[in-house]
Amino acid sequence: MKQFPKSLQQKLQQREEQNALRQLPIPNNLIDFASNDYIGFAKNETIFHETHQLLLDKKIKVNGATGSRLLSGNHELYNETEDYIAQFHYAKSALIFNSGYDANIGFFSAIPQRKDIILYDELCHASIRDGIQMSNAKAYKFQHNDFEDLERLLQRCQTEPIEVYIATESVFSMDGDSPNMEELTKLSEKYNAYLVVDEAHALGVFGEQGEGLLQSLGLQDKVFARIVTFGKGLGCHGSAVLGSQNLKSYLVNFARSFVYTSGLSPHSVATILQSYKQLKKEKEALEKLKSNIIFFNQEKMRLGLKPIFVYSKSAIQCAIIPGNERVKNIATQLQQKVFDVRPILSPTVPEGQERLRFCLHSYNSEKEISEVLHLLSTFVF
């Protein structure tokens, strides 16, 4: 049997030398400042019990046979859940994908056509960039949240009769910041461009019912497509593309990550539906999360930590601590004090932009927030 290829072994060794080798973390019982379970839905007992009751009421097998949704996998819960999601988000349609990654590569590889142009924020998630790479369209990045740079590119696109797509996120996963969505929607309208917004880290965080940033601003009708992901705020598998009926029909026909994969099991889809229904009931958790975000920012100010943090009003708060070795050491010290804070290393972020990523939750206490930031200040200064 042939040994492991030398070229691959060299890449692993290079990662080790850079102190950047990724490894699967060991599960722990530390205080959670690492997961994306922003409002605790991943361990919500009500969702767990109501999901099973729904399956019993409809006499659906929990692990029923599945397949591609175009063949045997389109069980009855799909239509009910997609209709509910569309109504919740004030959208014409919703199409469920197995993950946010599948939704983004499916959308961006299928929708923009040859000779079309995609203009994307330089900090867009890897799933968006991978989808763009699979597309036949031309793509150009603009500087992060810099709409002067974006408008410069939009002006260059006016010379030909082509379709232009603008891709961004409502909350950026590695920074926690947000673009000015009102300004961005006006810019897309001015240049007749199709605006596509990934709301993965906004669902369950922004809005009175956790509906996301665009909808909380009343801008949902100003965008061509929204991608909402359930593995963060909803604590379950899957994602959905929100848009017109024509968009849904096109994706069903041409998005390869939808066509050529097995659909989610009835249990997974039932969990999505019950999680959405629970959003309407979880006002206390949503308010507690918002309160914790405000308190975290106040504590940053009080302890003099604001200069090292990226500006953010979301549940993602990032302290820039350059150097893989240094940021890993500080993360280890925090973990030894029972706080689960994870380092984000290069090449996941650019060299010199290594950081500690704090994820806030409705179940974090103000005491925990104060203690972890106090420890950070002693380790950093």
Side-chain angles (χ1 to χ4, degrees):
M1 185 172 115
K2 294 189 75 171
Q3 299 299 312
F4 195 66
K6 276 188 177 180
S7 60
L8 305 186
Q9 186 62 48
Q10 287 171 353
K11 285 189 173 184
L12 285 175
Q13 288 174 348
Q14 186 179 24
R15 280 284 173 90
E16 283 190 290
E17 290 165 3
Q18 295 170 341
N19 204 11
L21 185 67
R22 296 186 179 109
Q23 294 177 306
L24 294 174
I26 299 171
N28 61 61
N29 294 314
L30 303 180
I31 296 169
D32 184 8
F33 281 99
S35 80
N36 295 143
D37 187 23
Y38 301 127
I39 49 177
F41 273 22
K43 45 184 174 284
N44 186 293
E45 291 185 8
T46 300
I47 294 172
F48 177 83
H49 292 300
E50 289 186 353
T51 295
H52 285 273
Q53 190 59 51
L54 175 64
L55 294 168
L56 288 171
D57 291 345
K58 291 184 175 292
K59 298 180 181 180
I60 297 173
K61 292 180 181 179
V62 173
N63 295 312
T66 187
S68 167
R69 286 184 65 187
L70 293 170
L71 298 173
S72 62
N74 196 45
H75 48 79
E76 64 181 274
L77 274 173
Y78 263 117
N79 290 336
E80 181 180 349
T81 304
E82 287 176 340
D83 286 346
Y84 191 94
I85 293 170
Q87 290 173 16
F88 181 91
H89 286 294
Y90 301 155
K92 298 294 184 184
S93 75
L95 181 66
I96 292 175
F97 284 76
N98 289 9
S99 70
Y101 189 91
D102 285 331
N104 275 326
I105 62 171
F107 181 94
F108 286 101
S109 64
I111 295 297
Q113 302 295 295
R114 192 179 302 276
K115 294 186 179 180
D116 288 347
I117 291 177
I118 307 168
L119 306 178
Y120 64 97
D121 190 293
E122 63 181 344
L123 297 188
C124 275
H125 191 266
S127 58
I128 295 174
R129 298 167 74 101
D130 287 355
I132 290 171
Q133 285 187 337
M134 295 168 67
S135 169
N136 289 319
K138 295 179 182 178
Y140 304 94
K141 63 184 176 183
F142 58 90
Q143 294 176 27
H144 180 51
N145 287 341
D146 186 337
F147 296 156
E148 288 185 8
D149 192 38
L150 172 58
E151 186 163 21
R152 176 183 62 83
L153 293 172
L154 285 166
Q155 288 171 346
R156 287 171 51 186
C157 297
Q158 300 304 297
T159 57
E160 313 176 40
I162 54 173
E163 306 291 5
V164 179
Y165 295 84
I166 301 171
T168 190
E169 303 177 27
S170 58
V171 177
F172 283 84
S173 60
M174 286 297 114
D175 288 67
D177 60 346
S178 301
N180 183 325
M181 297 308 307
E182 292 97 336
E183 185 179 345
L184 184 55
T185 54
K186 289 177 182 176
L187 197 59
S188 66
E189 288 179 337
K190 178 180 177 180
Y191 289 94
N192 198 29
Y194 294 100
L195 181 58
V196 184
V197 182
D198 186 317
E199 293 234 73
H201 292 275
L203 181 62
V205 178
F206 288 92
E208 290 185 6
Q209 295 182 337
E211 62 269 23
L213 183 60
L214 280 165
Q215 198 170 332
S216 72
L217 297 171
L219 298 173
Q220 66 275 359
D221 295 331
K222 302 287 187 179
V223 299
F224 176 65
R226 286 174 281 167
I227 293 95
V228 289
T229 299
F230 312 138
K232 280 71 175 173
L234 294 194
C236 57
H237 294 293
S239 179
V241 176
L242 311 174
S244 67
Q245 288 290 348
N246 282 341
L247 174 61
K248 180 174 181 175
S249 179
Y250 194 90
L251 290 171
V252 166
N253 280 274
F254 295 101
R256 296 172 71 86
S257 62
F258 177 87
V259 175
Y260 298 108
T261 193
S262 295
L264 292 170
S265 69
H267 183 274
S268 292
V269 180
T271 304
I272 295 167
L273 178 58
Q274 294 309 127
S275 295
Y276 261 102
K277 289 181 177 180
Q278 192 66 20
L279 269 181
K280 292 191 173 183
K281 307 172 188 176
E282 284 287 345
K283 289 191 176 180
E284 186 177 341
L286 291 168
E287 288 304 315
K288 184 60 167 66
L289 174 60
K290 291 169 186 174
S291 173
N292 280 346
I293 293 169
I294 292 169
F295 184 74
F296 191 96
N297 278 298
Q298 290 171 341
E299 288 294 275
K300 285 189 317 195
M301 294 267 295
R302 184 179 69 83
L303 294 165
L305 289 167
K306 185 179 178 182
I308 69 170
F309 273 86
V310 178
Y311 177 81
S312 168
K313 290 188 176 181
S314 77
I316 299 171
Q317 304 281 332
C318 292
I320 305 298
I321 300 173
N324 280 348
E325 184 172 356
R326 184 167 183 243
V327 74
K328 284 176 75 173
N329 286 340
I330 293 177
T332 298
Q333 291 180 76
L334 289 171
Q335 290 161 16
Q336 289 170 346
K337 297 290 186 180
V338 306
F339 293 101
D340 192 5
V341 181
R342 303 292 174 88
I344 307 296
L345 312 175
S346 58
T348 300
V349 293
E351 189 172 348
Q353 289 292 305
E354 296 83 5
R355 63 198 58 193
L356 289 175
R357 184 171 181 258
F358 294 79
C359 291
L360 306 181
H361 313 92
S362 60
Y363 50 83
N364 289 133
S365 68
E366 290 188 353
K367 183 174 181 288
E368 291 168 351
I369 291 171
S370 291
E371 287 182 0
V372 74
L373 287 176
H374 173 72
L375 286 168
L376 177 63
S377 68
T378 62
F379 298 149
V380 170
F381 298 136

